[in-house]
Amino acid sequence: MMTYSIEIKKQGDYLYKAVVKVLEGEDVLLEGETLVGCETEQQAYDYAEKVFLPDLRRNYPREIGNLELPIDSIPDPEPQEVIPDDTVPV
Amino acid sequence: MAYNTKILKRDKKYDIIPNQYYNPDADQYEVVQGKNGGLNVALMGSYATITTAPVAGAKTVSTTAAELFAGASRLSGRYAMMVYNEGTTPVYWGGSSSVTTSTGFPLLPGDSVTFNFNPSVATPIYFIGTANTSVRVVELA
């Protein structure tokens, strides 16, 4: 089963380096890193998990296409019924 | 034959003409010409040639400022990066991680930008958007 790790390293004021690894067992399938400018370490982590990792999965489908991420379990918003506005003349 | 087996050209006073070059096709020295006080020069080659496989990718510019590149990390020794905004909202770029949508340089939907780099200097480019925006990126090294 594929897993991933995210390591956040503070690089300076409001600058973090996110190092992500996608693993199968102990084998590193893909490793990437990026610089993130944000206020907190948690924001950098969220960026790595919700933006950077999904992009990596999209760009390396053969290597890590089966990686499951938390954003996959977020359901699509249910379609809402559109109520006609009677106040607008046709 | 080689350049060191050939004789330099001389003028009518039998002095050696300055500014000659060896033409291997003609196997002889030839006089360099010019105009406006300068010599004609042909530029042969450039550092801007692809030496490693280009990396292209689809990326997301989010509301968090982050470095943009094509692959899993910045391509080492890159001399160029092109970014195409294939989304529906502008994205903004800058050389600092503190770039915001108010301070960054805009890249409008459907537009592209080319960055040229000194390959020996690692220079991150940061992007930010007002919403998640899809871009395409390619890096050359």
Side-chain angles (χ1 to χ4, degrees):
Chain A
M1 181 181 173
M2 277 187 203
T3 57
Y4 64 88
S5 67
I6 298 173
E7 185 182 0
I8 304 296
K9 301 174 182 174
K10 189 171 174 60
Q11 299 289 292
D13 291 341
Y14 311 109
L15 181 63
Y16 297 88
K17 178 186 277 188
V19 180
V20 303
K21 292 179 183 175
V22 180
L23 308 107
E24 184 132 49
E26 293 185 353
D27 297 333
V28 178
L29 301 177
L30 187 70
E31 182 172 353
E33 65 178 45
T34 189
L35 294 170
V36 189
C38 55
E39 307 286 325
T40 66
E41 187 173 327
Q42 183 60 45
Q43 287 175 322
Y45 187 95
D46 289 344
Y47 173 85
E49 188 174 52
K50 296 173 181 170
V51 179
F52 191 58
L53 266 173
D55 277 347
L56 287 184
R57 183 174 62 178
R58 181 162 50 146
N59 286 299
Y60 298 92
R62 291 180 178 168
E63 292 87 348
I64 61 170
N66 295 327
L67 177 67
E68 293 182 6
L69 295 168
I71 61 166
D72 301 331
S73 57
I74 298 174
D76 293 332
E78 292 183 10
Q80 295 185 344
E81 184 181 358
V82 178
I83 302 172
D85 187 353
D86 295 336
T87 61
V88 178
V90 179
Chain B
M1 302 296 283
Y3 67 91
N4 56 2
T5 65
K6 293 298 170 183
I7 299 171
L8 288 164
K9 294 268 192 301
R10 294 176 181 271
D11 63 14
K12 66 180 182 181
K13 292 184 179 178
Y14 211 64
D15 291 330
I16 292 178
I17 301 170
N19 297 322
Q20 300 186 39
Y21 76 102
Y22 176 71
N23 182 341
D25 295 329
D27 191 26
Q28 65 178 6
Y29 281 95
E30 295 177 353
V31 175
V32 176
Q33 300 187 17
K35 63 180 179 181
N36 300 329
L39 301 175
N40 292 341
V41 175
L43 296 176
M44 305 295 288
S46 165
Y47 74 91
T49 52
I50 294 174
T51 54
T52 59
V55 180
K59 288 301 187 86
T60 304
V61 174
S62 76
T63 55
T64 300
E67 186 184 4
L68 189 67
F69 41 75
S73 59
R74 185 191 319 136
L75 184 61
S76 178
R78 70 180 176 186
Y79 66 81
M81 176 173 76
M82 283 77 94
V83 181
Y84 165 65
N85 182 353
E86 62 174 359
T88 56
T89 55
V91 295
Y92 304 84
W93 64 269
S96 163
S97 62
S98 60
V99 64
T100 68
T101 56
S102 302
T103 61
F105 195 87
L107 179 63
L108 302 178
D111 206 353
S112 62
V113 60
T114 299
F115 300 95
N116 294 309
F117 300 97
N118 179 341
S120 61
V121 179
T123 307
I125 302 292
Y126 296 88
F127 274 74
I128 190 170
T130 54
N132 279 3
T133 305
S134 295
V135 297
R136 296 291 178 107
V137 190
V138 64
E139 292 176 282
L140 307 177

